[in-house]
Amino acid sequence: MTRTTTARPTDAEMIQTACRRPGPALLAVEGAETTPIDVVHLFESQAFLLVPTHGEAMAAVDDAEGTPAMLEVTDWAPIDLRERVRSVIWLNGTLFPVPRDLERDLAIEIAGEHPDDGLLDIGHGASMLRLQVETAVIASGAGAASVPAAELADATPDPFWECEAGWLAHLDADHADLIGQLARRLPDDLRRGRVRPLGLDRFGIRFRIEGPAGDSDVRLPFPRPVSDVVELSRALRNLAGCPFLNSMPD
């Protein structure tokens, strides 16, 4: 069972955030085998992705009218949990090729916001496709939700998406004391399991409790959203009841 609170990112924001992180994705295109995707860049309600230039996905796309397609993105926890999947996202829409003469300029623009070495493969065995998203679905321990394209386009990723992995790994490896203090805020029935940091955003911290009967996800919200790493560090220490703990980085 997952306990939730209203002090959390919207489903659209969670999708935008998850699609910024490196992770596995699968592209299903009508008339082609499922294609593994390494590079995904979600901008508003458009997903740009790299596929093999001479692969089935590229060959199946109708240049003029586009081709129905679905992109599955898995959001993995950055630490070694018993079950590392945090959420699965499905982006449904119409797939179009990006004109060859625009690929490199677009790759440079994408790299400025979302660097990825895979972008260097454009023109060297990789080509870019554009998925015009019509609907998105996100499924996690809190349930499943559908997000329309307009809502997705208006959402922005969490401000801590780039540093979240490092913070969670640091908490898990070096701050058992802080985790223990935070665990005191969990419901009694969850304290018997192993408490692991699962997610971190401007609204709070999420934990995965690995218990003998299964896993549970729970969120501990901050009193108010935070906007930078100094506020984030302070909010974590205050939530743990250790406002003067100086071993967490500011």
Side-chain angles (χ1 to χ4, degrees):
M1 181 178 69
T2 300
R3 293 166 171 83
T4 60
T5 175
T6 55
R8 58 179 291 275
T10 67
D11 294 314
E13 288 171 339
M14 292 180 68
I15 292 173
Q16 288 283 1
T17 300
C19 288
R20 291 299 193 283
R21 303 187 184 103
L26 294 172
L27 176 66
V29 186
E30 194 173 272
E33 293 289 332
T34 300
T35 302
I37 302 295
D38 293 325
V39 178
V40 175
H41 178 74
L42 182 60
F43 174 72
E44 296 183 348
S45 59
Q46 299 180 93
F48 296 92
L49 45 144
L50 298 189
V51 299
T53 300
H54 302 294
E56 289 190 26
M58 196 72 188
V61 178
D62 185 309
D63 291 5
E65 298 183 3
T67 302
M70 185 273 291
L71 183 67
E72 179 184 278
V73 178
T74 302
D75 178 28
W76 297 87
I79 63 173
D80 188 21
L81 300 175
R82 185 160 64 185
E83 170 53 70
R84 288 186 59 206
V85 175
R86 297 192 289 191
S87 65
V88 180
I89 294 159
W90 295 274
L91 304 176
N92 302 282
T94 304
L95 196 63
F96 298 91
V98 172
R100 292 291 178 88
D101 60 337
L102 297 180
E103 282 185 315
R104 287 198 174 277
D105 288 342
L106 186 54
I108 292 171
E109 186 176 341
I110 289 173
E113 180 182 336
H114 191 183
D116 194 299
D117 290 343
L119 293 168
L120 298 174
D121 294 333
I122 290 178
H124 302 281
S127 296
M128 187 176 293
L129 295 174
R130 175 178 65 88
L131 179 66
Q132 183 62 55
V133 180
E134 295 160 8
T135 61
V137 175
I138 180 170
S140 66
S146 178
V147 177
E151 186 176 338
L152 188 64
D154 288 339
T156 56
D158 187 80
F160 303 110
W161 73 267
E162 289 183 274
C163 66
E164 184 207 31
W167 276 67
L168 293 181
H170 181 60
L171 281 169
D172 189 60
D174 302 320
H175 286 284
D177 54 341
L178 184 61
I179 297 294
Q181 289 294 113
L182 290 166
R184 294 182 180 183
R185 291 181 171 269
L186 299 177
D188 292 340
D189 61 312
L190 293 180
R191 295 185 192 178
R192 291 187 291 272
R194 185 184 181 193
V195 181
R196 311 289 303 282
L198 178 67
L200 193 62
D201 55 60
R202 71 185 187 279
F203 290 102
I205 184 169
R206 290 183 291 149
F207 289 103
R208 168 73 51 78
I209 295 86
E210 299 176 334
D215 297 344
S216 300
D217 296 349
V218 63
R219 170 181 286 273
L220 293 181
F222 300 142
R224 54 187 170 276
V226 297
S227 59
D228 58 41
V229 293
V230 174
E231 291 183 1
L232 177 60
S233 179
R234 186 177 299 118
L236 281 171
R237 292 178 298 195
N238 287 336
L239 193 62
C242 306
F244 303 110
L245 185 68
N246 58 13
S247 56
M248 281 294 292
D250 278 335

